[in-house]
């Protein structure tokens, strides 16, 4: 891999993880690791262009249908693709279908850019991860195989101890905090061959006393009321949190910072 490469453009493809939830900005929009990465890359390449096609809640079929061809046609230097995890969290999931769709996406995107970036997504410690771990790991085996076959690079977030720490996850227990997104941006940055700005992004956060029993029960009740029950309701009715929402940054335009 080259050191300190010069890339002139970036297109991000995916779901809420790539959209940037829950890295909330004061204006109510989300920033996230892809925006942070674009800002860093832009500092090294005048005229740098950036598009982010991600929409929260998207399944891999929707990503393939709605984002992949658009991204391929943009002719960017770097394309990031993260998808399929929402599928693995569904009660019923056809992993063969997920693998096939992911392969379709990679086959279209790899020839359309200088460097395709895939990821092994992070997982928060807790019962949700344990329940769905076999599916997630099956997805990551597929990611590794596709990367080897098509010359993509893989950012291993799943294997980073720091990113499993619940303190780096928002109260919804599904999305990273601002600090979590910063560490993901650093991981992608280094994997692309740039000089590290934080060599310790994988390092676990300093230990602190865990919250007491009462505080945990209050947090559990809040989580169930505000996030779990609405999530279950959407699953039962076939709705998604991203229904009707446009892509975050649908055109490949010069990057000028947040809100650009």
């Amino acid at each position: 891999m080259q050191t300190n490469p010069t890339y002139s453009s970036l297109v991000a493809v995916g779901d809420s993880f790539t959209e940037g939830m829950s890295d909330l900005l004061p204006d109510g929009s989300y920033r996230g690791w892809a925006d942070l990465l674009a800002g860093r890359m832009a500092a090294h390449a005048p005229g740098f262009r950036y598009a982010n096609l991600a929409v929260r809640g998207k399944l891999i079929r929707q990503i393939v249908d709605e984002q992949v061809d658009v991204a391929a046609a943009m002719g960017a230097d770097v394309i990031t693709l993260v998808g399929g995890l929402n599928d693995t969290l569904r009660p019923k999931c056809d992993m063969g279908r997920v693998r096939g769709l992911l392969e379709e996406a990679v086959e279209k995107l790899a020839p359309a850019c200088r460097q395709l970036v895939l990821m092994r997504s992070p997982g928060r410690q807790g019962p949700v991860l344990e329940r769905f771990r076999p599916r997630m790991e099956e997805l990551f085996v597929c990611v590794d195989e596709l990367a080897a076959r098509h010359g993509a690079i893989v950012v291993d977030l799943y294997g980073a101890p720091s990113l499993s720490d619940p303190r780096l996850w928002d109260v919804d227990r599904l999305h990273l905090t601002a600090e979590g997104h910063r560490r993901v941006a650093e991981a992608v940055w280094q994997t692309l061959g740039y000089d590290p700005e934080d060599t310790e992004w994988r390092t676990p956060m300093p230990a602190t006393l865990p919250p007491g029993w009462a505080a945990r029960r209050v947090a559990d009740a809040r989580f169930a009321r505000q996030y779990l029950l609405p999530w279950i309701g959407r699953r039962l009715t076939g709705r998604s949190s991203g229904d009707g929402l446009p892509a975050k940054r649908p055109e490949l335009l010069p990057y000028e910072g947040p809100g650009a």
Side-chain angles (χ1 to χ4, degrees), residues 217-230:
R217 298 295 78 76
V218 169
D220 288 344
R222 179 188 177 193
F223 163 71
R225 182 178 64 255
Q226 295 186 6
Y227 301 102
L228 181 60
L229 292 178

Side-chain angles (χ1 to χ4, degrees), residues 14 42 45-46 51 62 74 79 105 113 121 123 145 157 163 191 217 250 252 260:
Q62 295 168 308
M74 288 180 170
I79 298 177
C113 62
S121 303
E145 292 173 349
L157 305 174
L163 291 176
T191 306
R217 298 295 78 76
L252 188 61

Side-chain angles (χ1 to χ4, degrees), residues 10 37 43 45 50 59 61 63 95 134 145 171 186 190 209 221-222:
L10 167 68
L37 177 66
Y50 169 52
L59 302 173
R61 173 81 269 173
I63 291 172
M95 287 303 298
E145 292 173 349
V171 292
E186 179 67 33
Q190 292 184 26
L209 289 175
R222 179 188 177 193

